[in-house]
Amino acid sequence: MDARLNYFASPTAGKAFKHFMAAGKAIKESSLPAATQELVALRVSQINGCAVCIDMHTKEAAAVGETSVRLNLAAAWREATVFTEAERAALELAEQATRVADAAGGVSDEVWARAAEHYDEEQLTALAVLVSFMNTANRLNIIAQQPAGDYEVGQFH
């Protein structure tokens, strides 16, 4: 299966992605814990059904020591005992911020307050930017029907 578009061959996409990838690097370098970043990226991608991003973030998380149990349970984190309260707050915020059409109201004050119990303002900002970044990346890949399975750790980082 080939992608519909080769973003890397497009001058327009190349100009835009230069800044987009810089945004991703800034998020990676933020004080939001790396494990939380990968879990949130994975969960947003699962919700959106972005196979290439699920492939990427599963492999990136495993490469930095994330367990297969936690990766496999990310889609059902509410019933899982393997996530910290901080991670659960981040995953809940990511779900409400991603399911804006379903949730009809976006991130509730209660969910925001739970996240704010565990993360400072800079980390909350990084979390909000990460969720937005992942939703954009998911949509770009879904539109182009990027095939999944061949991602290699570090390929886009």
Side-chain angles (χ1 to χ4, degrees):
M1 178 176 147
D2 294 324
R4 289 177 174 157
L5 297 170
N6 181 354
Y7 291 128
F8 297 104
S10 163
T12 300
K15 290 177 190 173
F17 283 6
K18 175 182 172 186
H19 302 288
F20 192 68
M21 296 307 281
K25 186 174 187 280
I27 296 166
K28 282 273 184 210
E29 295 171 354
S30 75
S31 60
L32 186 65
T36 301
Q37 289 189 36
E38 291 299 338
L39 287 172
V40 165
L42 175 59
R43 185 65 192 121
V44 169
S45 299
Q46 289 171 333
I47 292 167
N48 289 327
C50 182
V52 72
C53 291
I54 293 170
D55 183 35
M56 174 189 304
H57 293 288
T58 300
K59 290 174 180 173
E60 290 290 346
V64 295
E66 189 59 79
T67 68
S68 61
V69 170
R70 284 168 44 95
L71 293 174
N72 291 333
L73 288 172
W77 63 267
R78 283 184 172 78
E79 293 80 32
T81 60
V82 295
F83 301 107
T84 68
E85 287 303 313
E87 291 168 337
R88 298 172 71 78
L91 289 166
E92 187 174 30
L93 188 149
E95 284 189 357
Q96 283 196 358
T98 299
R99 291 183 164 149
V100 289
D102 300 339
V107 178
S108 71
D109 290 341
E110 294 79 18
V111 167
W112 184 261
R114 272 193 292 278
E117 290 174 12
H118 302 282
Y119 302 102
D120 63 27
E121 188 163 333
E122 188 60 29
Q123 292 171 318
L124 286 170
T125 300
L127 180 58
V129 174
L130 171 61
V131 171
S132 300
F133 179 90
M134 286 310 305
N135 275 286
T136 300
N138 289 171
R139 280 149 179 79
L140 284 165
N141 287 316
I142 289 167
I143 290 167
Q145 291 188 341
Q146 291 292 337
D150 295 332
Y151 179 79
E152 295 181 21
V153 172
Q155 186 175 340
F156 292 124
H157 297 277

